[in-house]
Amino acid sequence: MSSSTTGTGYVAGFASLIGRPNAGKSTLTNALVGHKVAITSSKPQTTRHTIRGIVTGERSQLILVDTPGLHKPRTLLGQRLNDLVRETLLEVDVIGFCVPADQRIGPGDRFIANELAELKRGKRTPVVAIATKSDTVDRDRLAEHLIALDRLGDWADIIPCSATRGDQVEEVAGVLSSHLPPSPGPLYPDGQLTDEPEMVMIAELVREAALEGVRDELPHSLAVVVEEMVPREGRPDDKPLLDVRVNVFVERDSQKAIVIGRGGSRLREVGTTARTGIEALLGQRVHLDLHVKVAKDWQRDPKQLGRLGF
């Protein structure tokens, strides 16, 4: 990937991809980085922590800050997520506004476009409009979408892409990098893909596995906390084993039953899926100990939100 900046100087900085929930932000982050860092799920609202993916090119380093989806908040958690997004947006060098091509522009997109216009008044951050999921529509529909996108606001650039197919992903990286400030060199060491602590990524992998294939009432009611990670004692040096203890918190007993499944079948599946991801992340064998607990109405309780890391 080459940066499209002029001159020979190096550029480096932060970019944030925003969009309403399920606009394809995490999938695009993963495609840009070429490695799975942000969790992707067909359920909206899965990214809660600011996960950074790092794209290092010959003349540029683009650090992606993946924020939760901006939406009209209905709970205290929703309000905190929106505050987190606004804070993040004030600190980045360029914003990528993801608007999926397979859906008409709606009130959610307009809400964000207005927020961005407001932000640009205060701080002249360039915003690149990205038409995601371009592979899901025909050329006419895509052209129509790009025109609608152009009318939605005053963008530094507009670019369509398909993260799943890999169409125009490098071009998106180039366009975002062209808005980065000069830098004496990379801000992060080469080869580093994310600065998220391992525990946060492990929690996200468990959360992603727990969300797959369950009914819609669960996404907002699931929090995951890694209790401890300790090497198993008495293992030979060439065959280490890491014990990882994880608590999955839900709000009600009925949800606990859903996560555990009949005779614990669902939880075993979640454990197997998550363990595979965790072992790939850490590069070693893991024993995953999962516990499902009820934390009543945690989304509305400031004390519990704090304890669960929000």
Side-chain angles (χ1 to χ4, degrees), residues 20-66:
R20 57 188 156 80
N22 227 359
K25 303 177 292 292
S26 296
T27 312
L28 180 55
T29 299
N30 293 337
L32 286 163
V33 178
H35 183 87
K36 188 168 180 174
V37 283
I39 69 162
T40 53
S41 162
S42 53
K43 298 266 181 295
Q45 277 313 100
T46 41
T47 306
R48 291 215 169 133
H49 292 273
T50 302
I51 294 174
R52 296 177 174 86
I54 300 168
V55 189
T56 307
E58 274 172 45
R59 309 244 43 91
S60 63
Q61 189 177 62
L62 182 66
I63 298 136
L64 294 159
V65 187
D66 193 18

Side-chain angles (χ1 to χ4, degrees), residues 76 80 296-306:
L76 181 60
R80 283 205 187 165
K296 243 180 146 31
D297 293 329
W298 64 263
Q299 293 196 57
R300 296 175 192 279
D301 178 349
K303 258 218 222 41
Q304 300 213 65
L305 279 172

Side-chain angles (χ1 to χ4, degrees), residues 107-121:
D109 302 309
R110 288 192 194 92
F111 172 75
I112 296 169
N114 291 338
E115 293 274 313
L116 289 174
E118 203 54 37
L119 194 80
K120 269 170 52 184
R121 264 179 223 121

